Amino acid sequence: MSNHLYDGVFAPHADSTKTFLYTADRDISFAEFTALTDRIAAMLVAQGLAPGDRVAVQADKSVLLFALYAATVKAGGVYLPLNTGYTPAELDYFLGDAKPRIVVTSNAAAEAITPIAARIGAVLMTLDGDESGSLSEAAMQHEGPFTAVPRGSEDLAAILYTSGTTGRSKGAKLCHRNLRSNAEVLREYWRFTADDTLLHMLPIYHTHGLFVAGNLLAMVGGSMIFLPKFSADVALEWMPKATSMMGVPTFYTRLLDHEGFTAEASSHMRLFISGSAPLLAETHRQFEELTGKAILERYGMTETNMSTSNPFEGDRRAGTVGFALPGVEIRIADAKTGAPLPDGEIGIIEQRGDNVFLGYWEMPEKTAESFREDGFFITGDMAVRDADGYISIVGRDKDLIISGGLNVYPKEVEGMIDDIEGVLESAVIGVPHRDFGEAVVAVVVRQDQGLEAATVETALAGQLAKFKQPKAVLFTDALPRNSMGKVQKAELRKTHTDLFA
Ligand code: AMP
């Protein structure tokens, strides 16, 4: 049987007149989406796209952009979305590394990208958020139907660059099997059907919005309210039409801060899912208190798609990411040896399964370093499994602080600081220190501007071992975050690197 991602995810819907995508200015049926996809696929092939060629794209979210993804896969190409925040200088690296056949950028960026595209021999096309540009003009010259170009299970369907907080970004190679199998697993685990309408406010250059949300809803023949970006106001306008939402934790904190978000406003919603960054246990509790619904938190990464999830039925536990998804083998392992650790001990999450990527694009050494001999991928996420089997993430291994030779897990300290009255949130980092190697430093965002460092220090003194207590408590207006809501600890470490110099 074909394991083609396109066939599995975008196969024709039984009712082709049904709306697939709702947007602010038009509704797109399944038939219209397929017709658009076919035009683009035919155009890509006419531009010289051969099976396995990359289509690198940096463009604002639109229906046409989503169809470009489907079309690339249908035409046998490899879709390579790039964060819209990257500058032309950064694109220079990505494009030189990935050597795409076709590059798609906004009209505004085209001038800066032209010499780069010329250097790598790529065709440059433009696409803006309003769908104008040379790509749509060229696609309109073509007509479907377009028959999917055959690809095997292990052939690449996409390359997504990891955010690369240390060193160069790496291109994660994702094959048809990886993406298709994950959508199939999520469909069953989260009970998605054609009756679902997902509120889609995530970017589509990232695994969350593109694959977790996009592939899943296309696969079940559901609908998406497909909006350019998140705002609590707009979410509340559209929510009456939705049955489900996927978001990063900030979506949920912003909804909770909005006075229009009530139990009634969400009473018809069957599922709220959170991921891509840790959801504070406090947010989980506040949300449940207000709406009577428990947010379902799951965990995954670009390299592994979705790996663990809280249960659909049963206890969705705050502060945990649940259990390994069906078909995903997870072990919490000793960082050095890879030996599995008993429940209750902190180790590195390692995983194996159809979900796990093939390796890093043109980085055989990095790839080899990232896998154990038995095929398990070393994620770099540190976690602990409790006696009931629930997994909790305690942070990235590179964020682990070693102070005076002792391990300090930032999450433990952050959890205690966040519980102090007057604290909104915090990030705990290690900075170089002559005596200790690294010193624990807390960067705190206050709710109560009168809160003093000494109050935080006193509150922690009674609860935490001395070596875990911050050597400095600093205040800031906001923590640096990337577009998926992840706190950028590398940036914080850089800012405060000379604190004890
Ligand atoms: P990305 O590749 O951009 O999707 O980032 C993946 C990383 O995000 C993972 O390796 C985790 O460190 C983090 N992450 C994703 N989901 C969660 C979650 N539910 N809780 C904590 N961290 C998460």
Side-chain angles (χ1 to χ4, degrees):
M1 202 191 77
S2 156
N3 209 6
H4 202 295
L5 176 65
Y6 185 88
D7 295 341
V9 166
F10 293 102
H13 192 270
D15 173 9
S16 66
T17 60
K18 179 183 164 178
T19 297
F20 176 36
L21 302 173
Y22 295 97
T23 74
D25 40 56
R26 71 191 208 276
D27 301 342
I28 291 88
S29 68
F30 278 92
E32 286 168 317
F33 188 79
T34 304
L36 188 57
T37 302
D38 283 3
R39 282 176 188 275
I40 303 172
M43 183 276 292
L44 293 173
V45 172
Q47 292 287 351
L49 187 85
D53 280 351
R54 277 79 57 211
V55 177
V57 182
Q58 186 191 44
D60 284 337
K61 184 177 174 183
S62 68
V63 168
L64 212 131
L65 181 62
F66 191 50
L68 173 60
Y69 156 58
T72 302
V73 172
K74 195 168 193 180
V78 179
Y79 190 66
L80 197 158
L82 293 160
N83 191 314
T84 46
Y86 288 137
T87 62
E90 287 167 313
L91 283 199
D92 194 32
Y93 163 71
F94 292 115
L95 300 180
D97 189 51
K99 297 177 223 37
R101 178 85 202 96
I102 294 172
V103 176
V104 181
T105 68
S106 67
N107 282 294
E111 200 185 323
I113 304 303
T114 300
I116 306 172
R119 200 184 71 224
I120 59 169
V123 175
L124 176 63
M125 310 193 87
T126 58
L127 176 62
D128 279 351
D130 65 3
E131 305 192 338
S132 64
S134 64
L135 187 133
S136 52
E137 284 163 24
M140 289 311 136
Q141 308 300 314
H142 294 266
E143 213 44 90
F146 181 93
T147 308
V149 174
R151 300 300 280 157
S153 300
E154 306 297 299
D155 284 329
L156 296 193
I159 296 176
L160 262 63
Y161 278 87
T162 60
S163 37
T165 43
T166 52
R168 291 239 117 150
S169 290
K170 304 182 283 290
K173 296 191 289 183
L174 297 157
C175 68
H176 285 252
R177 169 179 53 88
N178 293 150
L179 298 176
R180 183 167 169 170
S181 68
N182 212 236
E184 284 165 355
V185 165
L186 298 179
R187 175 183 61 194
E188 306 308 316
Y189 208 76
W190 295 340
R191 315 271 203 278
F192 271 86
T193 70
D195 293 334
D196 267 292
T197 299
L198 183 88
L199 189 49
H200 192 303
M201 305 181 92
L202 292 158
I204 55 169
Y205 52 71
H206 185 267
T207 185
H208 195 168
L210 186 62
F211 301 143
V212 189
N215 282 351
L216 181 52
L217 271 291
M219 174 177 267
V220 300
S223 307
M224 291 190 273
I225 300 167
F226 207 67
L227 302 170
K229 62 178 196 311
F230 180 81
S231 100
D233 280 333
V234 178
L236 286 169
E237 260 171 52
W238 285 91
M239 201 171 281
K241 214 181 176 75
T243 62
S244 47
M245 181 176 122
M246 289 185 195
V248 295
T250 37
F251 287 18
Y252 294 105
T253 50
R254 296 216 190 131
L255 278 175
L256 284 170
D257 286 345
H258 196 292
E259 58 184 24
F261 188 62
T262 57
E264 206 191 321
S266 62
S267 62
H268 64 289
M269 293 285 279
R270 75 166 191 94
L271 189 56
F272 288 98
I273 300 176
S274 177
S276 290
L279 182 77
L280 290 182
E282 183 56 25
T283 310
H284 190 283
R285 279 192 280 272
Q286 278 177 5
F287 197 91
E288 190 164 10
E289 231 171 72
L290 179 74
T291 65
K293 294 176 200 295
I295 298 172
L296 184 155
E297 184 170 10
R298 87 322 177 259
Y299 153 78
M301 63 197 298
T302 302
E303 291 94 327
T304 65
N305 300 284
M306 293 305 99
S307 317
T308 78
S309 172
N310 268 280
F312 183 82
E313 272 161 22
D315 198 9
R316 297 177 193 161
R317 289 202 187 155
T320 82
V321 294
F323 313 104
L325 284 164
V328 181
E329 288 175 85
I330 294 242
R331 65 184 179 210
I332 313 283
D334 180 275
K336 282 204 188 75
T337 64
L341 294 172
D343 289 346
E345 284 191 28
I346 293 176
I348 299 255
I349 297 187
E350 299 188 355
Q351 40 177 310
R352 186 168 69 177
D354 278 342
N355 60 312
V356 176
F357 76 136
L358 302 188
Y360 295 112
W361 173 258
E362 294 197 333
M363 285 189 174
E365 279 164 23
K366 269 272 172 252
T367 302
E369 272 168 28
S370 307
F371 284 87
R372 300 275 179 207
E373 267 172 21
D374 58 4
F376 274 78
F377 170 61
I378 308 162
T379 62
D381 286 314
M382 309 210 62
V384 58
R385 186 169 8 216
D386 71 14
D388 298 333
Y390 285 82
I391 295 170
S392 298
I393 313 276
V394 301
R396 296 285 303 167
D397 58 352
K398 57 182 190 295
D399 294 331
L400 174 75
I401 304 165
I402 304 179
S403 190
L406 298 167
N407 287 359
V408 181
Y409 298 97
K411 181 123 190 247
E412 185 189 4
V413 187
E414 288 159 4
M416 288 185 182
I417 297 178
D418 294 348
D419 283 344
I420 298 171
E421 212 179 308
V423 170
L424 191 62
E425 59 175 356
S426 63
V428 167
I429 54 168
V431 303
H433 189 286
R434 199 159 50 93
D435 296 338
F436 299 101
E438 279 186 303
V440 179
V441 171
V443 184
V444 177
V445 181
R446 284 180 284 208
Q447 203 154 33
D448 165 8
Q449 296 308 316
L451 181 74
E452 290 178 8
T455 316
V456 175
E457 283 159 6
T458 314
L460 296 179
Q463 301 187 69
L464 274 178
K466 185 97 176 110
F467 72 94
K468 297 181 189 171
Q469 291 171 23
K471 304 248 172 330
V473 174
L474 312 173
F475 294 111
T476 185
D477 291 339
L479 297 175
R481 290 180 192 278
N482 71 5
S483 57
M484 299 307 291
K486 277 193 252 288
V487 175
Q488 301 302 86
K489 289 201 167 172
E491 197 178 315
L492 278 178
R493 281 194 290 267
K494 222 155 111 194
T495 309
H496 301 296
T497 189
D498 293 332
L499 200 62
F500 296 101

